[in-house]
Amino acid sequence: MPERFREDLCEPDRKELAEGPAYRFELDRRQWISSIGAGLLVTAAGKVVFSPGGASAQVRPSQRLHLGEDGSITVLTGKVEFGQGSRTEILQAAAEELRVSPDVLRVMLADTAETPNDGSTAGSRTTPSTIPVVRRASAAARELLVRTAAEAWNLDASELRVEAGAVVRAGDRFSYADLARAQRPASTVDDSVPRGVPLREVRNWTVLGQTLPKVGAREIVTGAHRYPSDIVRPNMLYGAVLRPPSYGAQLESVELAPGRELGAVVVRDGEFVGCAAKTSYEARKALEAISETAKWRTMAHPPSEGLGAYLKRHAQPSAGGRRGARRRESGDVDSALAAAQTLEASYEIPYVQHAPLEPRAAVAEWDQDRLTVWTGTQRPFGVREQLAEAFRLGADRTRVVVPDTGGGFGGKHTGEVAVEAARLARAAGKPVSLRWTRAEEFAWAYFRPAAAFEARAGLSGEKILAWDFTAYNPGTAAIETPYAVPNVRTQYIPCDSPLREGSYRGIGATGNNFAREVFMDELAGAAGLDPLEFRLANLDDGRLSAVLRAAADRFGWSASKSLGRNRGSGIAAGFEKGSYIAICAQVRVAGGSVEVERLVSAFDCGAILNPGNLRAQIDGCVIQGLGAALSEEIRFAGGMLVNGSFARYPVPRFRGTPPMEAVLLNRPDIPPAGAGETPIVAVAPALANAVFAATGQRMRSLPLRARAA
């Protein structure tokens, strides 16, 4: 069975989130960071460490903050920046608690030799798990600054405050740079900062809660930013890898001499065959010469037509473990169904590709038995483990550096391109840059799982009495209904998938929520109620009700009922990753196409850290959701991808982006949740429901294919 991914890749440490880490301040000559310079390191559940300049070593996994003797302040985190704005919000969090201007801070992300392991950049976990840790570390450093100044001035620390990065008293100023310079390697501060170091309350935020422009935006728009595919090392070669002609094909034989005759370094390691040369053109030409000699054993492979039926035939209901089948039941579903008005329907979604603007890329460099790889991945420490295992290295001899990367959307969890580049670099004795082509990215990167769904419910008037929902293959994210139903049965059944599948933005929530929210509209029709009224009548979750009302109010839901022939409006909602979304959509169906005329979203993710970045997250999610709803679908036949290019796999373009509005429901009383995934889950069902309102056609599969009435 092709590899799958757990849906809890980035589950936080619940105990740490509840209690917060402790911070002990100790000076230790043996610890330092090579690329930052002299100063102090703030360590979560550990130490603040003296770091003399001019040396280099691996830092401890728990180090969080570096206070430089030159006045620089560097925040350390293992998270990555894929365009979602994590670098900017982490900077804001540190600036808020340190009481400094964001301009004086630097954020170092995703370098396994110099940053802590914060898990995957996935699951919308940066906001609820990493941001609080950064804030507490910064508050601990602020506390140490105050106490050290108090000792120097022989004052009570409670009389002092930090403003603009320093403690100020009667013309005297004690800054973080002074703190770094004041500590001596031979001394030790034995006090521990308690877990309850006060954080600034939301109502008093001056940096958080504000729109701060994206860090590095100028470099991105001017082309100065270096993505993983732009990394260049001295004497670097360029690589190319032999791929099978079809899914499941196995290499039987191949001649390597034709590639070597063209001057390329040629490597074969089991099924892996690759070339490295001075230019990418030369590497490709050598690979073409080799590929002409390759003999493959192919295997039968199903087509994409009839995929839903195929998945059901290859269901694995007895599969166990964390990735296996799951069944949850409350109440007496069968009895409730027998006594109620019942309705049932089936739904399907296809495989879709992540289609990031930057395909997979890596540069690998060996220094004797030490390996460094620059690559774009959402799991830098996970990729380090893959490299260490592949080459039998210790973690201390394997380093992964992740430059800010050109898109991931859940599609760059694995490190295959890093391993491939490292194999070529080891054979060549030189650094090697390997960049997957667009065709390789489409065909050989993993897909969002295809899925089928069966839904059945029982009604009594406006109330849902029973809910029976079975999902084949999408994953379990958002599988449970958020509606108040007394009798519920939910089943997840994994299937033997014909294609490689894995994480995607929202993971299984995109499919589970699509099926559920379209079915909710069908139930509303059976109950003779407006879709909004029906949802509200079956909710006891005030936050989900609030986003539904907010979206409907901004959209003008009541007035949207008289749009005319082949035009209609739809609504859908969802809860996932601690946040709530509702979307109203207006469409026009012309011929065989669906034109989206307007979209209004309402979103609640607790206290808002950066309103401008949040709006960008919502807009990005919605636009990606438009593609999966209207046009994106992986097609395959004979074991080969049929539409593996942007010309044949249409993603949303600027000209096709409709007018969009986002209503932000700020909840300062609730801890912030992530926003990178949840908005996407309501796009497809809102559009499907709008198509029904326009044409009377129920849309039970994606992408939406409707004809004018």
Side-chain angles (χ1 to χ4, degrees):
M1 178 177 176
E3 69 182 273
R4 297 184 62 87
F5 291 90
R6 284 174 24 205
E7 303 220 353
D8 59 349
L9 281 171
C10 204
E11 278 297 300
D13 184 325
R14 300 294 182 185
K15 186 172 187 295
E16 179 175 306
L17 284 178
E19 300 178 1
Y23 293 87
R24 184 166 183 265
F25 300 110
E26 181 177 323
L27 309 177
D28 187 343
R29 184 184 294 276
R30 296 168 297 175
Q31 297 289 321
W32 57 83
I33 295 183
S34 59
S35 64
I36 299 180
L40 292 176
L41 287 171
V42 180
T43 306
K47 306 173 180 180
V48 172
V49 187
F50 182 82
S51 56
S56 61
Q58 184 179 353
V59 303
R60 296 174 181 177
S62 55
Q63 290 166 348
R64 285 284 164 196
L65 199 68
H66 181 271
L67 309 178
E69 293 183 7
D70 60 356
S72 63
I73 303 176
T74 304
V75 185
L76 307 169
T77 170
K79 294 296 185 179
V80 303
E81 175 64 70
F82 271 67
Q84 78 278 27
S86 59
R87 182 185 295 277
T88 305
E89 291 192 357
I90 288 168
L91 181 147
Q92 286 181 271
E96 186 69 66
E97 300 304 335
L98 289 167
R99 310 292 194 262
V100 300
S101 168
D103 297 338
V104 308
L105 291 177
R106 171 194 177 202
V107 178
M108 177 183 285
L109 300 177
D111 181 337
T112 62
E114 297 197 342
T115 62
N117 183 355
D118 287 317
S120 308
T121 301
S124 293
R125 295 306 315 170
T126 299
T127 294
S129 61
T130 304
I131 292 289
V133 173
V134 169
R135 290 185 66 193
R136 289 193 288 266
S138 301
R142 185 188 73 232
E143 183 80 2
L144 179 62
L145 178 67
V146 170
R147 287 194 294 161
T148 305
E151 292 170 5
W153 296 337
N154 196 26
L155 294 173
D156 188 334
S158 64
E159 301 175 5
L160 303 177
R161 298 289 182 272
V162 179
E163 297 179 3
V167 180
V168 179
R169 179 194 66 93
D172 293 327
R173 189 174 187 274
F174 194 86
S175 68
Y176 288 108
D178 296 322
L179 173 63
R181 289 191 292 265
Q183 304 296 339
R184 295 291 178 265
S187 64
T188 299
V189 183
D190 291 325
D191 308 60
S192 291
V193 175
R195 296 181 185 275
V197 177
L199 303 181
R200 181 171 272 174
E201 295 182 8
V202 175
R203 67 174 183 270
N204 296 323
W205 281 352
T206 61
V207 183
L208 286 172
Q210 308 300 312
T211 295
L212 187 71
K214 182 180 179 67
V215 175
R218 178 178 293 276
E219 289 75 13
I220 291 172
V221 300
T222 60
H225 175 68
R226 297 175 69 196
Y227 292 91
S229 51
D230 296 322
I231 297 297
V232 176
R233 301 294 296 168
N235 303 313
M236 188 177 79
L237 303 180
Y238 294 84
V241 174
L242 183 66
R243 306 294 178 192
S246 60
Y247 292 122
Q250 293 183 327
L251 184 64
E252 292 186 326
S253 66
V254 64
E255 297 293 331
L256 305 183
R260 290 175 178 145
E261 290 170 1
L262 294 175
V265 175
V266 182
V267 182
R268 181 174 183 184
D269 183 359
E271 291 280 302
F272 175 81
V273 177
C275 299
K278 291 182 179 179
T279 67
S280 57
Y281 174 79
E282 291 174 303
R284 289 284 167 191
K285 293 299 289 183
L287 188 70
E288 288 174 10
I290 289 173
S291 65
E292 291 177 359
T293 73
K295 292 182 172 54
W296 300 87
R297 182 171 69 254
T298 59
M299 60 177 290
H301 196 274
S304 49
E305 286 74 17
L307 185 56
Y310 177 92
L311 292 173
K312 290 180 180 179
R313 289 197 307 271
H314 292 80
Q316 299 177 322
S318 60
R322 299 188 68 173
R323 306 178 192 181
R326 193 181 88 182
R327 177 187 174 109
R328 291 182 178 175
E329 188 165 355
S330 60
D332 188 340
V333 176
D334 293 329
S335 295
L337 286 170
Q341 174 193 356
T342 61
L343 189 72
E344 59 184 80
S346 298
Y347 304 89
E348 293 183 15
I349 61 171
Y351 295 103
V352 298
Q353 190 49 276
H354 304 81
L357 284 180
E358 182 184 32
R360 282 162 171 73
V363 173
E365 182 175 60
W366 289 86
D367 181 3
Q368 297 180 356
D369 63 346
R370 292 180 179 272
L371 172 63
T372 300
V373 177
W374 294 261
T375 190
T377 176
Q378 295 170 244
R379 301 178 64 238
F381 288 86
V383 171
R384 183 181 69 173
E385 291 176 6
Q386 286 183 259
L387 290 164
E389 181 179 357
F391 299 103
R392 295 181 173 85
L393 298 172
D396 60 332
R397 291 185 288 140
T398 311
R399 179 182 184 184
V400 173
V401 183
V402 183
D404 292 7
T405 299
F409 317 113
K412 291 180 179 175
H413 285 269
T414 52
E416 54 271 80
V417 68
V419 174
E420 291 169 348
R423 281 176 167 163
L424 292 171
R426 184 172 61 174
K430 296 179 179 180
V432 170
S433 172
L434 179 62
R435 308 166 187 171
W436 280 23
T437 65
R438 179 60 60 188
E440 287 176 307
E441 183 72 26
F442 265 111
W444 302 108
Y446 55 82
F447 304 93
R448 182 197 72 177
F453 308 87
E454 294 175 351
R456 187 166 55 141
L459 289 171
S460 177
E462 66 178 13
K463 294 292 187 179
I464 306 173
L465 295 185
W467 180 267
D468 189 0
F469 187 83
T470 302
Y472 294 88
N473 205 56
T476 58
I479 195 171
E480 303 295 342
T481 178
Y483 296 97
V485 183
N487 305 285
V488 177
R489 178 164 55 227
T490 305
Q491 297 183 88
Y492 165 68
I493 302 176
C495 304
D496 187 4
S497 170
L499 294 186
R500 183 188 182 204
E501 52 189 30
S503 294
Y504 179 83
R505 196 173 199 169
I507 327 178
T510 53
N512 290 323
N513 208 67
F514 166 71
R516 177 172 53 247
E517 283 296 292
V518 175
F519 192 48
M520 285 295 292
D521 255 45
E522 299 196 38
L523 290 172
L529 291 176
D530 171 85
L532 173 62
E533 293 176 2
F534 180 73
R535 284 173 171 81
L536 294 174
N538 286 278
L539 273 175
D540 58 11
D541 187 323
R543 294 176 71 185
L544 193 55
S545 297
V547 293
L548 277 163
R549 289 192 172 96
D553 289 346
R554 179 66 62 88
F555 185 76
W557 177 255
S558 298
S560 69
K561 301 304 177 58
S562 55
L563 294 173
R565 185 178 176 84
N566 291 319
R567 296 176 73 220
S569 56
I571 193 168
F575 163 77
E576 177 63 2
K577 303 294 191 300
S579 56
Y580 295 77
I581 183 69
I583 294 180
C584 293
Q586 180 177 308
V587 305
R588 183 173 74 92
V589 180
S593 65
V594 178
E595 176 188 344
V596 183
E597 296 183 321
R598 186 183 174 212
L599 287 169
V600 173
S601 307
F603 190 61
D604 168 6
C605 59
I608 297 174
L609 300 178
N610 182 321
N613 191 63
L614 177 57
R615 290 185 185 278
Q617 286 275 61
I618 296 170
D619 288 350
C621 257
V622 169
I623 291 170
Q624 187 171 7
L626 287 172
L630 300 176
S631 59
E632 295 185 43
E633 175 188 21
I634 287 295
R635 300 195 304 274
F636 51 95
M640 292 182 285
L641 199 62
V642 174
N643 59 335
S645 69
F646 279 138
R648 291 174 291 173
Y649 184 90
V651 297
R653 303 301 207 266
F654 283 116
R655 65 177 178 271
T657 302
M660 298 186 298
E661 299 177 69
V663 181
L664 306 183
L665 277 64
N666 191 21
R667 293 294 303 270
D669 57 318
I670 297 174
E677 297 178 275
T678 303
I680 198 174
V681 307
V683 179
L687 294 176
N689 294 336
V691 170
F692 171 75
T695 66
Q697 303 169 63
R698 286 294 181 193
M699 297 287 102
R700 297 191 177 108
S701 64
L702 297 176
L704 301 176
R705 296 184 175 94
R707 302 201 64 82

